[in-house]
Each structure stands twice: as structure tokens, then as C-alpha cells.
Amino acid sequence: MCGIIGYIGGKQAYPILIEGLHKLEYKGYDSAGIAVQGPDSLKIIKTKGKVSHLEEKAGEGFPVGFAGFGHLRWATHGAPSEINAHPQKACSDDFALVHNGIIENYLSLRRWLESEGHRFVSETDTEVIAHLIEHYYRGDLLESVQEAIKKVTGSFALIAGYRDEKDRLVCARKDLPLMIGLGGEENFISSDLAALLPHTRKIHILEDGETALVTASAVKIYNTDCTVLQRKAQEITWDVTSAEKGGYEHFMRKEIMEQPQALRETMRGRLLEGGRKINLAELDFAPEEIEKISKIFIVACGTAYHAGLVGKYLLEKILRIPVEVDVASEFRYRDPLLCADTLVIVISQSGETADTLAALRLARERGQQVLAITNVVGSSVAREADKVFFTWAGPEIAVASTKAYLTQLFSLYLLTFYLAQERGAMEQIELQKAGEALYNLPDQVEEILNREKEIPGIASYLSRWESAFFIGRNLDFAVALEGALKLKEISYIHAEAYAAGELKHGALALIVEGIPVVALAIQETVLEKSLSNIKEIKARGGYVFCFAREGMEALASEVDSIFYLPSTLDDIFLPMLAVIPLQFLAYYTAVARGCPVDNPRNLTKSVTVE
Ligand code: M6R
């Protein structure tokens, strides 16, 4: 996610802002910028690339001033570039702001502002807010910010400044973190505690909808009605390292916990009216293009491939279109039978995976239309695909993919139901139910996250073995594959995922007394069959950890431990919940074995070699 830092006080702002940006670098970003309130102008410096480039650009004679703000951008609207970097300005150079988040209605606002005479220079959604502030300015920056944010829908954490009000900064938040650090005769603003803790431990955490007027000596916080609030600052006791990880010991656990928010970003502007309508106009499909799709290929690697396997099941079940899923490195060399009216979907968190990119290029050379599902704006995959669906998970730092996987799944569900909506492949009422289920999913994910403490006991048993099995049928098998990959990559336990019905064709020979078997028995249609497979394992001494749904209590007496998923959702959505305890299982097992969770041996986050 992007990072924000602001300063106002008696010292030169520039070195403090640069130091703050360095503190935010761990989050991942593609461009950087600062604005300093000089004696008679707002001086802005920005660049594509690293903070060190920004420092080189500023040179020795850095901009002088006692207030300012800086930003690290993780591109959403518009590729990484100097012009799209923040701060963004309005028509005059006098208003500027930095912003984290996504403005959903930026296109309509931009059209309206253009009709009012505003001129836009960037591709960003952020620039719209700068122009709105300028538009509503009547001599008071705070009031114009409060007016501007009433007009936007979406998420934001922002700091705004105006040349003629150098003694103040105005900030606001909705759905994204923003906090103010109190430092006596100076104050600090940031989206991230890690950037504030070197200066102060007295922090005001803004709530949704609040705005704040920050001067060197005072902070005034206002609610949505613009009434001043009386609130005491909190005393924060975390150290900087745990602040970077949101108080968690590892990025992986932080990213697991971020999943509800990541899903809310994925659905933003796409699931409308509480889920009753799916809007993927961003993909710019003509109705006849959608109508004539007769075959789909999904191509990806690793975890993204596992997301594709869930996608196959879903697309075939809902659309009744044949879907093939390929590991990208195989797709390329097997001379795939691509034909007219085939849609190729590539999935890649990083958008830079060499095998996936090579597969994408092959498909395009063969004249196929390629739709990319990716998390990184400006990545090679995003640039080269015909259509792009961004997952909006925010930067994922741990090598083991968690929130990226879940948002890939969610994207595939959105895409499937959108295509069903456009092809008339589902009854309206069923479609609405599906949309509502997706809309409510982040809450259900939160409920599963709250049950984290059910997992370390299982992990402790697992951590003492060098080998484990994961079994499941249909969608459960796709999730089992992901669970096993997570476990092996971070705990170094040899974990094999098997289609439950296949065990008896060979691997059953490996079931010995006590060996851990993670059995997913969630899909109701194959419950009887899954139960038979579990019995086969138990009869040979296997130790079975079962993941089932409420209402399947009969399973409890057949297994050694059981975790129930809620029965409120249709089976088809459950992979998005079932994967969460498996992520925790891998995490706690790796921790129990003392493994370097975030950076497992021999692996990198983005595999750019074939
Ligand atoms: O960036 P990508 O999604 O293209 O990466 C694909 C795989 O390398 C990646 O999912 C890998 O399997 C993860 N480390 C798994 O956690």
C-alpha cells in the first residue's frame, strides 16, 4: 500500500520527510515525492523509483520550509511515472496533496471538473481531490477539504496543503489508516506508526470520516459533521520493527490478517448495491465478445495456479464453458490447442513471473485475447495483456502468498458471476444471492481469523513430522494443493496434496502410524466419499485433522481433530474460507520449527527466470 508522512514544526521539514519515507520503504512502492511549504511557494519534487532518486533530484540545496508532506506510491490508477507520483497538484501550483486509497467515482468527478475548466495532467484518481479542494476553496483549507471529501466515494488517507496557509496541514481518512504524532511544538502525520515512532509515542489515530487541522502547536480533530472532537492521544509502546509489521512478528501473519480489508478493496466499485449488481465495465468487453467465448485457458504458477484450479471448477459449473488450467512453464511447451473464441486468463500476483509472462506472450502471438489478473499496476503482465483485472491486495511482502491468493480467488468469482450476468447464464435471483454472498465474505473471513487460536495445537503436532498429506475432492482438492504448498514452502515439511479418491491408487502405502493427514471434507456433494477416504487413512493409523462444515458433526468421531467452517455459505464459496486455517496451519508449524517464515530458503517473491 502507499505510504504517507507529514511534518509541521520548528525544524526544516525536508530531512524529516525523507527520513519518514525511508521508514515506509519496507512496504513496497514504485515512486516517491514530497512537497515543502516554502516562504512563498509549495515546492514539489517527485520521481519514479526509489527515495534515493528523490534525494539525488533534490540535491544539496533541498527545499526550505517548516511544513510539508511526502508519499510513496504503489500505483493504482496510471502506471508508475513521475507525473503520476504524489504530491498531486490542482490547476494552480498552490494546492497539493498526497493520498492513499482509491477514489471510485473519479471519472465522473474528473469529467465534471473539466467541464468547470479544470485541467488534468496525470492519470491518477488522486488529482481529482486536488482539483476539488481548489474548486471549493473560499479562504479556508480545512473547509475546502471537508467539502471535497463529501463528493468522493472510495477510500482515502490524505494530507493537503495550500501555499497561503503555511502554518497548517489538513488531513482526512476513510477506510485506510492515518495517525498524528504529537511532538510538543511540532507534529507529525503518517499512514504508518513506523514513521512516527522515532519522533513520538503520543499518537492520535483518526477514525473513518474524520478530518484534522494540524499546526505546529495544536491538533484539532473533526467528525463528519465538522464538529471538533475532544480525544486524548494514545501512548504507543511498540518498537519500530513490530510497528512495521503492524505489531505482528511476521509479515505473513500481518498479511493473513489483512485479508478482509484486501477483499473490500478488490470488490470496491465492482460489487454494487450490496452485491446485487456486478460491474466490471473496466474490462471493456463488448457484449458479443462475452457471448462468443467458447473455451477458457487459465495459466499461472504456484499459488496463482491453485487459484486457477478453483476458477476452473467455478467457471465450468456456472458458465458451462470448458476450462483448462495450465502451469505456465508447461503451457508454453505443450503446443496448446488455442482456437478462435478462446479467452486466456493469466494470473500473477507480481505480474513479473517469467514463465507466466512467456505464456502470455505465446497466447498473444497466437492471436488470443489475454485477460490478466494481477496485483501490480505497471507490471509486465499488466502492460502486455489485452485486459487487466487488478486484485488490489496491496503489496505482499512475505514470500508465501496469502492475501494475494484470496483476492485472486475473489477476482475469479467476480469474473465468473459477471460473465454469467452478461451471458444471462443464471437466474437473476441466484445471481443476486451470489453477489450478496461475495459482498458479505470479508465479514466471514474476519470470523475465521478470530478463531486463529484453534490452530497452534494442530501445528504443534504437525511440526514434529517430516511428511504430511493433504486430501480433498473437487474444490477441496484445489484448496488442499494450496494448503500443502504453503506448508512445504515455509516449514520445509514434505507435504503432498492428493485427490482423496486417488490415495488408494498408490500413496496409501505411505500412510503409517501417526502420520498427519489434513482432510478437507467441506464439499457436501462428495461427503460420503470423503468419509470413506478418511476411514481408509484411520484404519492405517493416520492422524487426521479434518476441516468440515457445521452440520457435519458426524465426522467428529471419525477423526482426531476437527475445524468447522460456517454453514451459512453455499459450498461453492467455501474455498475462500477454507484456505485461511490452512494458512495459519503453515504459519504456526513454521514458527514451531523455528523457520524464517517470511523468507524461506531457496525462494524469492518474484521468480523472474524461466
Ligand atoms: O507473482 P506470481 O503470482 O506470478 O508468483 C507465482 C508463484 O511464484 C507464487 O505464487 C509462489 O508459488 C508463492 N511463493 C507461493 O506462496
Side-chain angles (χ1 to χ4, degrees):
M1 210 50 82
C2 307
I4 285 179
I5 177 76
Y7 172 77
I8 185 158
K11 301 184 189 129
Q12 287 298 330
Y14 174 83
I16 295 171
L17 297 176
I18 291 290
E19 186 204 324
L21 290 182
H22 280 303
K23 280 273 172 294
L24 298 172
E25 282 190 293
Y26 75 92
K27 293 159 82 87
Y29 66 104
D30 52 56
S31 39
I34 52 151
V36 174
Q37 306 257 33
D40 37 39
S41 69
L42 251 181
K43 172 81 177 159
I44 293 178
I45 309 172
K46 46 190 196 170
T47 182
K48 179 179 169 186
K50 297 287 168 201
V51 178
S52 52
H53 298 164
L54 190 71
E55 288 177 271
E56 280 161 28
K57 219 168 160 185
E60 297 286 297
F62 61 73
V64 172
F66 300 100
F69 37 91
H71 189 258
L72 297 184
R73 177 173 188 251
W74 163 265
T76 58
H77 296 69
S81 68
E82 182 175 327
I83 208 110
N84 289 334
H86 301 197
Q88 287 290 322
K89 293 184 304 185
C91 292
S92 83
D93 290 347
D94 303 340
F95 294 93
L97 92 156
V98 289
H99 160 233
N100 290 353
I102 295 177
I103 303 304
E104 285 166 29
N105 58 341
Y106 85 102
L107 263 182
S108 56
L109 285 173
R110 182 169 172 148
R111 279 191 211 109
W112 170 66
L113 285 159
E114 279 171 341
S115 74
E116 294 283 314
H118 289 260
R119 298 172 317 281
F120 283 75
V121 294
S122 78
E123 300 161 87
T124 65
D125 50 340
T126 301
E127 193 182 346
V128 157
I129 318 175
H131 288 276
L132 280 174
I133 294 170
E134 181 181 52
H135 190 80
Y136 290 115
Y137 190 76
R138 304 278 179 275
D140 185 324
L141 180 64
L142 175 70
E143 281 176 16
S144 63
V145 170
Q146 287 170 332
E147 203 55 41
I149 62 174
K150 279 188 204 150
K151 298 289 177 290
V152 301
T153 54
S155 56
F156 54 80
L158 62 85
I159 308 178
Y162 174 51
R163 186 197 62 180
D164 292 345
E165 298 191 37
K166 351 184 185 325
D167 61 338
R168 61 195 56 203
L169 297 173
V170 173
C171 56
R173 77 153 263 181
K174 179 171 169 273
D175 291 347
L176 287 173
L178 195 66
M179 42 211 106
I180 303 164
L182 310 184
E185 285 306 300
E186 56 184 359
N187 288 310
F188 305 82
I189 309 167
S190 184
S191 50
D192 201 303
L193 262 184
L196 297 180
L197 290 183
H199 304 287
T200 176
R201 296 192 162 270
K202 276 192 177 166
I203 309 283
H204 276 301
I205 299 178
L206 289 191
E207 301 287 340
D208 271 350
E210 290 179 353
T211 44
L213 177 66
V214 183
T215 64
S217 55
V219 172
K220 275 189 181 169
I221 300 176
Y222 300 81
N223 66 11
T224 29
D225 302 329
C226 307
T227 310
V228 183
L229 301 167
Q230 302 303 330
R231 200 160 60 212
K232 280 181 86 176
Q234 304 180 25
E235 192 74 31
I236 305 288
T237 51
W238 293 355
D239 61 26
V240 173
T241 315
S242 52
E244 282 178 355
K245 294 177 183 152
Y248 300 107
E249 202 183 329
H250 299 102
F251 282 110
M252 182 179 175
R253 184 149 168 259
K254 173 173 182 268
E255 287 159 5
I256 291 173
M257 293 307 200
E258 282 171 355
Q259 292 181 109
Q261 178 60 23
L263 290 176
R264 289 187 181 108
E265 292 303 327
T266 312
M267 73 169 71
R268 196 178 286 288
R270 292 164 169 168
L271 263 183
L272 311 175
E273 300 163 24
R276 284 186 294 282
K277 187 162 174 34
I278 304 173
N279 174 18
L280 297 188
E282 64 194 282
L283 295 180
D284 207 16
F285 269 119
E288 53 284 9
E289 270 182 309
I290 292 183
E291 201 47 55
K292 69 179 190 191
I293 299 170
S294 61
K295 171 136 195 196
I296 296 176
F297 277 87
I298 302 181
V299 188
C301 303
T303 284
Y305 168 75
H306 295 156
L309 291 173
V310 174
K312 170 187 166 70
Y313 184 93
L314 194 67
L315 285 157
E316 288 189 339
K317 187 173 168 70
I318 304 292
L319 299 179
R320 309 309 294 162
I321 295 176
V323 180
E324 287 190 41
V325 191
D326 272 67
V327 166
S329 52
E330 290 296 315
F331 176 81
R332 196 174 165 209
Y333 297 106
R334 77 171 175 96
D335 197 11
L337 274 175
L338 300 167
C339 43
D341 306 337
T342 297
L343 175 67
V344 176
I345 302 176
V346 299
I347 309 176
S348 173
Q349 185 284 130
S350 61
E352 300 297 347
T353 300
D355 287 323
T356 309
L357 196 55
L360 178 158
R361 287 177 180 153
L362 174 85
R364 294 206 71 229
E365 271 160 35
R366 300 263 195 101
Q368 300 298 311
Q369 184 168 63
V370 177
L371 186 160
I373 297 179
T374 184
N375 195 32
V376 183
V377 175
S379 62
S380 306
V381 160
R383 281 185 280 111
E384 295 189 30
D386 299 286
K387 297 180 186 296
V388 190
F389 187 103
F390 290 110
T391 48
W392 302 139
E396 194 177 60
I397 293 170
V399 165
S401 184
T402 54
K403 62 176 181 171
Y405 171 77
L406 193 60
T407 54
Q408 285 162 358
L409 287 192
F410 197 86
S411 304
L412 285 161
Y413 281 79
L414 278 178
L415 182 66
T416 303
F417 290 117
Y418 175 70
L419 294 177
Q421 172 184 285
E422 300 304 297
R423 285 167 74 105
M426 274 173 89
E427 296 287 338
Q428 194 54 31
I429 183 85
E430 292 305 315
L431 205 49
Q432 281 189 13
K433 268 198 227 159
E436 282 165 8
L438 290 178
Y439 190 79
N440 294 322
L441 199 86
D443 297 343
Q444 310 236 359
V445 169
E446 249 154 30
E447 281 172 30
I448 303 286
L449 292 174
N450 289 338
R451 291 168 56 198
E452 182 180 7
K453 58 181 180 312
E454 293 177 45
I455 303 297
I458 313 178
S460 157
Y461 183 90
L462 201 52
S463 68
R464 296 194 289 274
W465 286 78
E466 291 307 318
S467 186
F469 282 90
F470 284 67
I471 60 162
R473 288 170 175 260
N474 293 355
L475 279 170
D476 289 347
F477 176 46
V479 180
L481 282 161
E482 176 57 9
L485 176 63
K486 265 333 52 118
L487 186 70
K488 66 185 125 188
E489 76 174 322
I490 62 166
S491 76
Y492 313 150
I493 292 174
H494 174 233
E496 275 213 58
Y498 249 79
E502 267 292 290
L503 272 184
K504 57 186 176 293
H505 298 290
L508 207 53
L510 296 173
I511 301 298
V512 292
E513 193 63 33
I515 193 166
V517 178
V518 176
L520 287 111
I522 300 160
Q523 298 296 311
E524 189 121 38
T525 48
V526 285
L527 181 59
E528 284 304 313
K529 299 285 176 199
S530 302
L531 184 56
S532 309
N533 301 135
I534 289 171
K535 284 183 172 168
E536 286 161 12
I537 293 162
K538 282 305 301 169
R540 285 152 186 89
Y543 196 93
V544 177
F545 302 107
C546 185
F547 291 83
R549 309 172 54 144
E550 286 161 356
M552 294 180 175
E553 280 74 12
L555 274 171
S557 56
E558 308 289 342
V559 299
D560 297 284
S561 123
I562 193 156
F563 184 105
Y564 294 109
L565 294 163
S567 55
T568 41
L569 275 180
D570 192 90
D571 281 14
I572 206 169
F573 298 101
L574 286 175
M576 291 187 281
L577 297 186
V579 73
I580 291 162
L582 301 189
Q583 295 169 344
F584 278 139
L585 188 58
Y587 174 77
Y588 281 108
T589 306
V591 169
R593 287 165 69 93
C595 296
V597 173
D598 287 334
N599 298 295
R601 70 184 177 211
N602 308 339
L603 299 177
T604 64
K605 186 66 187 159
S606 176
V607 187
T608 52
V609 288
E610 282 184 48

